[in-house]
Every structure is written in C-alpha cells, then in structure tokens.
Amino acid sequence: MMIYLDNSATSFPKPAGLTAEMGDCMERYCGNPGRSGHDMSMLTGEKVYRARKTVAEIFHITDPSRLVFTKNTTESLNMAFMGLLQDGDHVVTTSMEHNSVLRPLEYLRAKGVSHTIVDGSGEGYVNAEDIEAAITEDTRLVAVTGASNVTGTIQPLDEIGRICARHQIPFLVDAAQLAGCSEIDVEKLGISLLAFPGHKGLLGPLGTGCLYVDSAIQLQPLLYGGTGTESRSRIQPQEFPEGYEAGTVNAPGIIGLGYAVRMLRKVGVETVELYERELIGYFDEMIQNMDFIDLYGPVPEGKTGISLFNVRGVECEEVAAQLNKDYGIAVRSGYHCAGLAHKTIGTWDTGAVRLSVGPFNTRRDLRTAAEAIWKIGKRRR
C-alpha cells in the first residue's frame, strides 16, 4: 500500500461507507432532482437538500439556500469573480493566492477590473494592515486564501473580515485548504463569499465544491440554462440556489459529500485540526535538523498540515519521483499552481516538495517518509 501524503491535492482515503452511499443513490433512485414529480426525482432532491443543509451547518451558514453546489473551488471562485465584478471595479488580493484567484483576476483586467496584490512575508503571512492600505474608493472585493496551498500558512481572516466590514467591502475567502481542516464561522469572520472544495478537507468525492453567498450580495449567474424553475421564461432566474446551478447537478457526488461531512462532524473539525498539526509538527521536527534540508513556511501552530521543503542538490521533482518509485510515498513537487507564492517565500527558481497530511495518516507514515528523505539526501553525495 502506498503511503499517501498528498492530501492538499485531494484527501485519501475517503470515509468508510462513502462509496456505498453514492452507490445506493445510483443503483436505487438517482432521479433528476427538481426536474420531475415522481418518487425517484423527489427522493434525490431530498437527499441533495439534506447534503446542502449538512454542509451549510459546518460553516455556521444559517440559510442553506445560499450555498451553491459547484464541481470544485475553481468554479466557485470564477462564479464569484465573474458574477460580482464590473468595469471600473478594484480588487485587493495577495501574493499567496492559487492561480484559481490570480488567473481570473488577470483575465478580468482586460474587462476593466483592476487589482492590487499585497505581498506576504517570507513565511507566507499577509499583514491585515497591508490589506487595508491597498483599499481604494473603487475597491469592490477583497479576496484572500484562508490557508496557503504552498506553505499551509493560515491568514488572519478575523482581522481582514473586520477591515472589510468597516469599509463595507465584500470579503471572499478561498477555503480550499482550510475547509474541514480548521473551524470556519462565516458570521464571526465576516465572510461574504466562501469558496471551497468537497474533495479535500471535507473528505468528499472529486468533482464537488461549493460557493456560499451572503444574502447582501447580488451575483450574476456564471451558467445559463435549465434550472427546473420558470421554464416558460428565457430569462435566467436568480433565485438561490437553483438559478446558480444550471443544468443537472452531480447528485451522487453531492450526496456523497453530505455523507462525508456528517462523518467529519462526528469526529469534529477541531479534533482533526489538532491531530494534523501534531503530525506535521512531528515530521518537521524530524527533517529540520537534517543538514541538507531547506524547510519553508511557519511553525506548525501557524499552518495547516503542510510541510514544504527541498533536499539541497536534488531537484524537487526528482525527490518526489524517488519517494514514489523507491519508497511508495505520494507527495507533490513543483510550483503547486501558485507561482507568486513561491516567489514570495524564495522558491521561484527551484519549486519545492510539498508533503501534506490527512486525518487517516499516522506517525508511522511520517516517520517512514522522514527516513526515506534522509536516505535520498545522503545518497546525493
């Protein structure tokens, strides 16, 4: 069995019973929800609603209808940017963002939407005061990653949320690395829009994601088409959630996501957060004293379950390949779809190896990985 340490890309394994829950949907009912009046369609609709309510509750979202199902965080972020921003608007974001934030903003530049990138520190921290200093009279949105997918650095969302509230500017959080790995309360943090995947920390299947939209936000749909509502009109409805989920939704995946979140809530997000932090701290402690290791990012208390490092004298892609081939250990190397983050922390020229833990990993997994890295480092000489 491979030791899987690439949970920041997608979590593995999934909770026991997840595939059975999805299989039950596909084998027993799986009608098209919201499209027909027969029992199979209505049961699917009920199950999708239950999943929506379950996912909403874990983020303290009081109105589940404001939670839109998507296929991933990237679609959720595009829905937010394209649906909210117009010619003349300005966005404040950071150098620690994933390309799912930076590329849509670069595209929108040609549409008259400008943006300011606030630099993070060498450990990936973004100062909330720098965010505030970048706000102009045209700022329509502040978009910040909750935790970096490169270093795991957790940003001061509470401080940034208060700043946005004070300036009456919507606050968009990319929670791709934070959802399910750390407590998120959209009300307490002042989050207006929350984009997150179902397949990472929430332990759900691939092809699932969500966008939460506060009731004060007016959003244009990203997709236009069938919603199962107002079918005689050619105008796209803008009622939540149907108007923003045009076409047939991924009902088996959504139902599977609901199941995974119910299992996660039984364990507790705080319990998972503490466990993953303990694991990554254990790993960091083992490798940081190796004289050929460069370790990046903050101490474990300031990040999610990510360790970013390089073995001096060995390219990061080669380290990942050796871990895979020789030791059966899965990690990710390179630039992690976040080039500016690597520029910020000083790995622009090299990239780095990212090891990321999940709730199913053990100390033994991390000890085995550290021993393998020791052997790779020694062999380079």
Side-chain angles (χ1 to χ4, degrees):
M1 290 289 292
M2 175 165 278
I3 296 176
Y4 185 82
L5 294 169
D6 192 21
N7 289 276
S8 288
T10 190
S11 59
F12 184 86
K14 304 299 182 182
L18 172 62
T19 54
E21 183 81 4
M22 295 174 66
D24 182 58
C25 167
M26 298 183 72
E27 294 171 6
R28 192 168 64 85
Y29 50 101
C30 207
N32 201 326
R35 299 300 195 273
S36 305
H38 55 74
D39 289 347
M40 292 171 63
S41 173
M42 289 190 290
L43 180 56
T44 307
E46 290 171 10
K47 294 277 192 176
V48 168
Y49 171 76
R50 182 186 179 192
R52 196 186 308 273
K53 187 172 183 293
T54 298
V55 176
E57 287 171 350
I58 205 169
F59 299 106
H60 305 274
I61 297 167
T62 55
D63 181 0
S65 71
R66 304 298 296 189
L67 191 71
V68 177
F69 285 120
T70 62
K71 66 177 181 291
N72 47 47
T73 315
T74 300
E75 183 180 350
S76 299
L77 289 166
N78 273 262
M79 184 180 291
F81 291 132
M82 306 304 171
L84 186 66
L85 300 172
Q86 300 176 2
D87 182 14
D89 289 342
H90 172 255
V91 180
V92 177
T93 190
T94 85
S95 67
M96 294 306 294
E97 304 305 309
H98 191 278
N99 281 339
S100 294
V101 168
L102 296 175
R103 285 177 174 172
L105 290 179
E106 189 62 27
Y107 165 78
L108 285 169
R109 188 196 295 272
K111 305 291 184 181
V113 177
S114 62
H115 63 270
T116 298
I117 297 174
V118 174
D119 288 333
S121 69
E123 292 185 333
Y125 287 115
V126 175
N127 191 318
E129 293 179 356
D130 294 339
I131 296 280
E132 186 165 28
I135 292 174
T136 74
E137 61 181 13
D138 295 321
T139 302
R140 182 73 174 90
L141 184 69
V142 172
V144 174
T145 182
S148 167
N149 73 305
V150 174
T151 59
T153 310
I154 298 173
Q155 305 301 349
L157 299 183
D158 52 348
E159 296 179 52
I160 299 171
R162 286 194 294 271
I163 289 168
C164 290
R166 189 160 62 245
H167 290 271
Q168 297 183 323
I169 297 170
F171 182 26
L172 166 62
V173 174
D174 173 359
Q177 299 300 323
L178 210 56
C181 301
S182 184
E183 285 284 352
I184 298 175
D185 185 323
V186 295
E187 296 292 336
K188 288 183 178 179
L189 294 175
I191 296 172
S192 312
L193 301 118
L194 184 72
F196 57 93
H199 67 98
K200 296 189 183 187
L202 295 181
L203 308 178
L206 291 161
T208 57
C210 296
L211 176 68
Y212 159 70
V213 184
D214 183 85
S215 59
I217 301 292
Q218 299 294 317
L219 202 68
Q220 290 294 317
L222 181 66
L223 297 177
Y224 293 76
T227 63
T229 60
E230 301 183 34
S231 294
R232 289 182 293 179
S233 173
R234 292 178 60 189
I235 304 299
Q236 181 75 11
Q238 294 189 21
E239 288 76 30
F240 279 83
E242 293 87 358
Y244 298 83
E245 295 176 346
T248 300
V249 298
N250 175 14
I254 290 168
I255 292 166
L257 173 59
Y259 174 87
V261 172
R262 290 196 298 274
M263 297 302 102
L264 177 62
R265 292 185 70 187
K266 288 182 179 180
V267 176
V269 172
E270 185 178 3
T271 300
V272 170
E273 179 179 18
L274 293 173
Y275 180 65
E276 292 181 354
R277 185 168 291 157
E278 188 274 331
L279 284 180
I280 211 66
Y282 176 63
F283 177 77
D284 282 358
E285 186 177 359
M286 285 188 289
I287 69 166
Q288 67 186 356
N289 293 322
M290 298 179 187
D291 60 5
F292 48 78
I293 289 290
D294 291 319
L295 184 63
Y296 310 99
V299 296
E301 290 73 23
K303 64 179 181 178
T304 57
I306 287 175
S307 185
L308 190 78
F309 63 92
N310 272 315
V311 177
R312 285 186 220 123
V314 187
E315 292 186 0
C316 62
E317 291 86 356
E318 178 59 26
V319 173
Q322 287 187 41
L323 287 172
N324 177 61
K325 181 181 178 182
D326 299 339
Y327 302 99
I329 298 171
V331 297
R332 181 176 172 183
S333 62
Y335 292 91
H336 312 95
C337 300
L340 278 188
H342 280 275
K343 193 170 188 178
T344 300
I345 66 169
T347 53
W348 176 258
D349 294 327
T350 61
V353 181
R354 185 187 70 188
L355 179 150
S356 50
V357 300
F360 296 106
N361 288 123
T362 65
R363 287 170 71 93
R364 182 178 180 180
D365 292 339
L366 278 302
R367 187 166 59 251
T368 301
E371 290 169 354
I373 291 163
W374 172 260
K375 292 175 184 176
I376 292 170
K378 287 300 182 183
R379 201 161 54 216
R380 88 198 192 288
R381 299 173 181 175

